[in-house]
Amino acid sequence: MSDRLYRWDLRASPYLYIAPFFVLFAAFGVFPLLYTAWVSLHDWTLLSDEHPFVGVANYRELFGDPYFWNALGNTLSILVLSTVPQLLFALLLAHLLNRPLRGQTFFRLGLLLPNVTSVVAVAVIFSQLFGRDFGLINAILESLGAGRIDWQNGTASSHVAIATMIIWQWTGYNSLIYLAAMKAVPRDLYESATLDGATGLQQLTRITIPMIRPTIIFTVVVSTIYGLQVFAQPQLFGGGGPTGITGGNDRQFQTLSLYLYEHAFTNGFQFGYASATAWVMFAVIVLGAGLNYLFVRKIRSTS
């Protein structure tokens, strides 16, 4: 009896240890996802007790809405402008901190500070920096003879401003992830490269990057997922009110998340339509993350 109980315990214990996670994931992850799919097939608003089944009508209306495609284009533009420089800067900073340097702990803590700063504070500060009349960026540009830029009213300029916020907030965080991966690279590889006369840049491209590729793939996928869901930065950049939800007067920086929020909570509580938007957004995120993964893996296999 005791042997049977011991064998049962040996087999069942690992499943019991991980069961709480999967129970919570099913309750707060899978169920809302499936329920949202069900709601997206109905004309579901909070202003009515009737929720008639409409099939894929919400999806047809969504794909026929030019504002949706505008939001998707804005999201992809901000994603590219923020993610590519962010990861390149993070890699460079991590490479510099991986070398013998005094006060390394101070610099590492400094890298983490932007990430622990409230996103509201970051958005407010950067909104002031990119202000049209009294912003520091425009003051510098004017002193250089480049003239002032109305950052909020332009499509490209607003995307640059929002991307700058995201870069500032997440570069240090990714640097620490890269730095942790670089610490696992054998030091004798760098010592041999130094004896062979390799420069710091050559060591970065020939040793460091190939050795930490799994970490780079991870950061690319995670950054893509975050970049496609960006919400607070454009909303606060637009002032936080109705203009923030629509992403400016001409929707020049409205992202998919803001578009979803607009229809779910400020435009008649159209939960059915918003749920359809959420599912399309989910598909875009899965597709974007998958393409990025395949792209980075392709680079890995060809190098």
Side-chain angles (χ1 to χ4, degrees):
M1 179 66 182
S2 60
D3 290 343
R4 184 181 301 175
L5 186 61
Y6 172 75
R7 286 196 297 272
W8 184 87
D9 177 59
L10 202 61
R11 292 176 181 174
S13 291
Y15 298 102
L16 292 177
Y17 292 147
I18 63 174
F21 166 78
F22 286 100
V23 171
L24 292 174
F25 178 70
F28 298 103
V30 177
F31 173 72
L33 194 66
L34 297 178
Y35 189 68
T36 303
W38 171 253
V39 173
S40 72
L41 301 175
H42 295 74
D43 183 13
W44 196 302
T45 75
L46 285 185
L47 305 179
S48 173
D49 294 331
E50 302 292 331
H51 309 303
F53 181 79
V54 295
V56 295
N58 284 325
Y59 292 93
R60 280 202 300 267
E61 184 180 354
L62 177 68
F63 291 131
D65 185 0
Y67 291 152
F68 163 73
W69 296 107
N70 172 71
L72 179 61
N74 290 338
T75 304
L76 295 177
S77 172
I78 293 172
L79 170 70
V80 173
L81 288 174
S82 62
T83 303
V84 176
Q86 174 195 149
L87 296 182
L88 290 177
F89 289 150
L91 196 59
L92 184 60
L93 282 173
H95 179 66
L96 294 175
L97 284 177
N98 196 35
R99 304 171 71 84
L101 187 69
R102 287 187 177 181
Q104 285 196 357
T105 303
F106 171 78
F107 289 115
R108 291 173 188 174
L109 287 174
L111 288 176
L112 197 58
L113 279 179
N115 189 249
V116 300
T117 305
S118 165
V119 65
V120 176
V122 173
V124 169
I125 291 172
F126 274 85
S127 296
Q128 296 299 316
L129 290 175
F130 284 101
R132 183 190 61 184
D133 297 322
F134 305 106
L136 178 62
I137 306 298
N138 270 348
I140 294 174
L141 291 176
E142 193 169 37
S143 67
L144 297 174
R148 292 179 176 272
I149 298 175
D150 193 348
W151 294 95
Q152 194 179 99
N153 283 333
T155 301
S157 57
S158 60
H159 292 186
V160 170
I162 294 168
T164 304
M165 296 183 207
I166 300 172
I167 291 170
W168 186 84
Q169 192 169 18
W170 288 98
T171 297
Y173 176 81
N174 285 312
S175 295
L176 293 179
I177 293 178
Y178 287 149
L179 183 61
M182 289 177 185
K183 289 298 181 186
V185 179
R187 302 301 303 177
D188 54 350
L189 292 178
Y190 294 108
E191 293 169 0
S192 299
T194 303
L195 290 175
D196 290 339
T199 64
L201 181 61
Q202 289 173 326
Q203 292 181 21
L204 173 65
T205 56
R206 304 288 178 81
I207 299 175
T208 306
I209 292 178
M211 295 294 289
I212 65 168
R213 271 175 182 153
T215 305
I216 293 175
I217 293 174
F218 169 76
T219 56
V220 168
V221 172
V222 171
S223 299
T224 301
I225 294 172
Y226 175 79
L228 289 171
Q229 300 180 82
V230 64
F231 177 86
Q233 289 88 350
Q235 193 228 359
L236 294 169
F237 183 67
T243 308
I245 296 300
T246 57
N249 295 323
D250 295 326
R251 298 176 181 266
Q252 62 270 28
F253 53 90
Q254 186 183 44
T255 61
L256 279 178
S257 297
L258 290 175
Y259 180 84
L260 187 156
Y261 185 90
E262 178 188 9
H263 287 278
F265 299 107
T266 67
N267 196 8
F269 301 103
Q270 302 170 354
F271 281 11
Y273 188 83
S275 297
T277 307
W279 260 93
V280 172
M281 190 174 163
F282 174 72
V284 170
I285 290 172
V286 171
L287 181 64
L291 288 177
N292 259 336
Y293 172 76
L294 293 175
F295 177 70
V296 177
R297 199 177 68 167
K298 180 72 174 176
I299 294 175
R300 177 184 181 182
S301 61
T302 55
S303 62

